[in-house]
Amino acid sequence: MEKKMVIVDGTVFNVCIACSKHGKPYAPAQVAAAKKKKPMAVIRQQKKIGLADATVLTPDFARLIREARMKMGLTHEQLGMKMNEKAQLLRKFETGALKPDELFAKKLERYLGIKLYVSAEGSGDDNEE
């Protein structure tokens, strides 16, 4: 019995000719499109690396976040509500279990009034704030 590859609800099936009427024909060109996405992901990673080279995360980021939050008299939940983020995520940053990416660090800097990402060349000058 001859089989045909079709797509039904986003899933590829190998079905008989009679059943293939219930799906759309599967085109191997979609595999080529998936291969094109990989080089784009590599380019994006290279851009992120370029940003990370200009600035580095302060080694004592966890202590800075905790001290700033406590100075404001906020609990994890209150700060999370204020920032529209999960309290559990904030706890992980404070314990050092997770490192904030540049976007989240900028958000923390804005809400807490601290400096987490500093210039790679002059990291000593920026920590004194």
Side-chain angles (χ1 to χ4, degrees), residues 10-58:
T11 306
V12 179
F13 291 100
N14 197 14
V15 297
C16 67
I17 300 297
C19 295
S20 69
K21 297 174 186 170
H22 298 288
K24 294 180 182 177
Y26 173 70
Q30 292 174 343
V31 174
K35 289 181 183 177
K36 289 181 183 177
K37 290 181 184 178
K38 289 180 183 177
M40 292 174 69
V42 172
I43 292 168
R44 287 186 189 136
Q45 287 176 348
Q46 289 172 347
K47 288 181 183 177
K48 287 182 182 179
I49 291 170
L51 290 173
D53 287 344
T55 59
V56 292
L57 184 64
T58 305

Side-chain angles (χ1 to χ4, degrees), residues 69-114:
R69 178 187 55 80
M70 292 177 78
K71 195 179 206 180
M72 294 176 74
L74 297 173
T75 64
H76 293 105
E77 288 76 17
Q78 290 169 333
L79 180 60
M81 293 273 288
K82 188 175 179 183
M83 293 178 64
N84 199 23
E85 297 291 343
K86 293 188 177 186
Q88 188 62 34
L89 187 61
L90 296 170
R91 282 190 191 93
K92 287 182 181 181
F93 290 143
E94 281 190 15
T95 60
L98 257 176
K99 290 184 179 181
D101 62 359
E102 283 193 69
L103 292 174
F104 200 94
K106 295 292 180 197
K107 193 172 184 180
L108 283 167
E109 288 176 348
R110 192 170 56 246
Y111 279 93
L112 296 174
I114 57 176

